[in-house]
Amino acid sequence: MSNQFRIIKDKTANGVMSAITIVSLVFVIIMGIGLYIKSIPILEEHSLWELVSSSSWQPFKNDFGFLPFVMGTIWVTMIAIIIALPLSLMTAIFLTEYARKSVKKFVYPALDILASLPSVIYGVWGTIVIVPLISDKIAPWFSSEFSTGYTVLAAGLVLSLMLLPILVSLFVELFVCVPDDLRAAAYSLGATKWQTAKNVVVKKSLPGIFASVVLAISKALGETIAVLMVCGCMPEVPKGLLDACYPLPALIANNYGEMLSLPLYESALMFAALLLFVVVIIFNLTSRIILKRIEKNN
């Protein structure tokens, strides 16, 4: 009787979890359909190629070119990952392979605090520290033109700081899960700590590292407030690190609710959200395919 009851419980739990999974997928599909429906007016007025390839953003003249916003999003995200990835990887290796327990007791809570801070705090910090630093110290070295400091570089630095504690925490969890037997085997063969970390720990954790980076990039693509406060909000395609930019999330957050009386303006903002939604979905699906190949080869 008890056996039958446990089987019923197991089947019920399986059914509930399957239903929750299906509901989650349905929500994602509904979200995409809703954004597409809201974007139909502007797609009927302008071709998709015209919208994503044009650099002209003049809503009053019915010009909606999203290329500056797409490029701004790519610039900021890539800079953030280029800065955060090596720093977080080295920090995680230090914490798991080299650091003493006393250091870990201090660093781990600090990382948790940094990861839980609201993004607006990072934005304020970027405005107070990073923007003046770029304007007064960094920009004069590379350009004779005056820079306000509200640049691609500022947005990338602030975003990289936001990603750093998340990536470090994920990497530490991955490295801790590597069996100690593998480390012991490497040490017995004469490998140093660095050689063991590089050739055993990191290599064994490669699929997880890739998945963590994908998660970080997905978060970076949608980050809004902190980036909005330091990016400069100029609808122009950035040509360098010291140019202002205007990522898609910042465009939506900064303009939704304003000027919606203009024809197609609300639809344009919904198309921006749809564009971001599609980019994240495609990026994650592609990453899953690559991850499967890495896991097979690892």
Side-chain angles (χ1 to χ4, degrees), residues 230-270:
V230 297
C231 68
C233 297
M234 293 288 290
E236 298 176 357
V237 177
K239 298 177 181 177
L241 296 178
L242 298 178
D243 291 338
C245 64
Y246 209 164
L248 284 168
L251 169 69
I252 299 166
N254 205 29
N255 292 278
Y256 195 80
E258 299 180 7
M259 298 193 300
L260 294 185
S261 58
L262 290 176
L264 300 181
Y265 199 80
E266 182 180 10
S267 182
L269 294 180
M270 291 299 100

Side-chain angles (χ1 to χ4, degrees), residues 112-147:
D112 292 338
I113 292 171
L114 285 173
S116 62
L117 285 177
S119 60
V120 68
I121 301 296
Y122 287 97
V124 171
W125 176 81
T127 304
I128 295 173
V129 178
I130 298 298
V131 169
L133 178 66
I134 293 174
S135 177
D136 301 335
K137 303 294 182 181
I138 298 177
W141 291 354
F142 299 98
S143 176
S144 58
E145 299 179 2
F146 172 75
S147 173

Side-chain angles (χ1 to χ4, degrees), residues 40-59:
I40 288 176
I42 196 169
L43 290 171
E44 290 177 343
E45 189 82 14
H46 302 278
S47 68
L48 179 61
W49 175 251
E50 181 185 350
L51 291 171
V52 298
S53 63
S54 173
S55 300
S56 177
W57 181 262
Q58 296 178 337

Side-chain angles (χ1 to χ4, degrees), residues 164-235:
L164 192 63
I166 299 171
L167 283 173
V168 171
S169 298
L170 291 171
F171 291 161
V172 166
E173 291 298 324
L174 290 170
F175 297 162
V176 167
C177 291
V178 175
D180 289 334
D181 292 346
L182 294 178
R183 292 182 176 87
Y187 292 145
S188 67
L189 293 173
T192 62
K193 278 192 175 183
W194 170 244
Q195 289 173 327
T196 302
K198 182 180 67 172
N199 298 321
V200 177
V201 177
V202 173
K203 189 174 181 180
K204 186 69 177 176
S205 306
L206 199 57
I209 291 172
F210 183 81
S212 300
V213 172
V214 170
L215 181 65
I217 292 176
S218 297
K219 176 178 171 57
L221 285 170
E223 187 51 53
T224 307
I225 299 300
V227 173
L228 172 63
M229 295 175 70
V230 297
C231 68
C233 297
M234 293 288 290

Side-chain angles (χ1 to χ4, degrees), residues 13-114:
N14 180 49
V16 170
M17 288 185 288
S18 299
I20 292 173
T21 303
I22 293 170
V23 168
S24 302
L25 293 174
V26 169
F27 276 138
V28 174
I29 295 170
I30 290 173
M31 192 184 302
I33 293 173
L35 290 174
Y36 174 73
I37 291 172
K38 286 287 188 178
S39 305
I40 288 176
I42 196 169
L43 290 171
E44 290 177 343
E45 189 82 14
H46 302 278
S47 68
L48 179 61
W49 175 251
E50 181 185 350
L51 291 171
V52 298
S53 63
S54 173
S55 300
S56 177
W57 181 262
Q58 296 178 337
F60 290 100
K61 297 182 179 179
N62 200 26
D63 286 342
F64 296 97
F66 286 89
L67 184 60
F69 309 105
V70 173
M71 295 306 299
T73 304
I74 294 172
W75 269 85
V76 172
T77 302
M78 290 302 102
I79 291 168
I81 291 297
I82 288 170
I83 295 172
L85 180 56
L87 289 176
S88 57
L89 197 58
M90 293 299 106
T91 302
I93 290 174
F94 169 75
L95 290 173
T96 54
E97 307 301 318
Y98 293 90
R100 298 177 180 177
K101 289 184 178 180
S102 58
V103 175
K104 295 178 183 179
K105 287 180 180 179
F106 171 77
V107 173
Y108 287 161
L111 289 172
D112 292 338
I113 292 171
L114 285 173

